[in-house]
Amino acid sequence: MVFIAVGFFQEWLKVNINWYIDHIAYIPNYNALAPADRLEELSKMSYNAPYDYYYSHSTIGQLASFTSKQLSMLKYGIAVALVVFYFLLNQFVINRILRKDVLKIFLRKIYIGITVTIALFFGMYFLWKPEIAMYNVGRELLGFLQSPMPVIVLYLPALFFLKNDNTTA
């Protein structure tokens, strides 16, 4: 249940931040405006598209108090915080529910390996801008780490390869 609740919250938050980042690029001197003026300018860009969550979600007005650079930093800061949060949540599932110590080792390896891979993809994208695909692959991998998928990927093979008891393996 925690995975689902945090998943919906993180999606709402990320959509809001990305919407702001995308739209403030079209507002001249956005960073020089007062937050109330920023919100007014942003409201002019909003339109009714009930079929598209990117446009139909409610916005977080407090984000208007951030500059464009601060919003980008917030976006990546939240991404890192969510990876750490989900790592701890997945670790909790292994400790309290699955009770297989060997899975904790593999979970750490998954998070380290994929985090390094994400850093490489994002690094290549930001340094050389070769293809938007680099960024998109990094985002997909980041989404994997920000979910219960790592523990699911570990547990399914463990059903077959580890002894079927509740002790540590």
Side-chain angles (χ1 to χ4, degrees):
M1 195 64 162
V2 174
F3 282 110
I4 294 170
V6 174
F8 277 115
F9 175 75
Q10 79 172 348
E11 187 66 18
W12 174 72
L13 185 59
K14 289 177 187 178
V15 165
N16 266 281
I17 292 171
N18 285 329
W19 188 88
Y20 271 79
I21 290 170
D22 289 346
H23 288 77
I24 62 178
Y26 300 105
I27 301 173
N29 299 319
Y30 174 84
N31 292 335
L33 297 174
D37 296 330
R38 292 174 181 173
L39 275 175
E40 185 179 328
E41 290 296 319
L42 286 165
S43 69
K44 293 175 188 175
M45 298 180 162
S46 186
Y47 63 88
N48 187 19
Y51 51 85
D52 188 344
Y53 183 69
Y54 189 69
Y55 293 101
S56 66
H57 69 278
S58 60
T59 58
I60 303 172
Q62 293 82 353
L63 291 175
S65 63
F66 292 96
T67 65
S68 57
K69 184 176 181 178
Q70 290 171 331
L71 279 170
S72 291
M73 290 170 46
L74 180 65
K75 175 182 174 175
Y76 292 107
I78 288 171
V80 170
L82 285 168
V83 167
V84 171
F85 174 79
Y86 274 101
F87 172 76
L88 295 173
L89 192 56
N90 281 317
Q91 190 84 18
F92 176 80
V93 169
I94 290 171
N95 287 339
R96 297 288 185 218
I97 299 170
L98 305 180
R99 298 181 187 204
K100 303 284 186 189
D101 285 342
V102 71
L103 296 180
K104 291 190 288 189
I105 295 166
F106 286 115
L107 183 68
R108 282 191 290 272
K109 289 180 179 186
I110 285 174
Y111 270 85
I112 291 168
I114 293 178
T115 300
V116 168
T117 305
I118 291 169
L120 290 172
F121 278 118
F122 283 173
M124 287 187 283
Y125 173 74
F126 288 117
L127 288 174
W128 300 298
K129 304 269 188 208
E131 292 285 333
I132 194 74
M134 293 288 196
Y135 182 78
N136 288 337
V137 171
R139 275 185 38 191
E140 292 297 324
L141 292 171
L142 188 62
F144 174 79
L145 293 182
Q146 296 172 345
S147 74
M149 288 306 297
V151 79
I152 292 170
V153 166
L154 286 173
Y155 185 63
L156 292 177
L159 287 172
F160 298 103
F161 297 114
L162 299 176
K163 291 191 320 188
N164 194 11
D165 61 0
N166 280 341
T167 61
T168 57

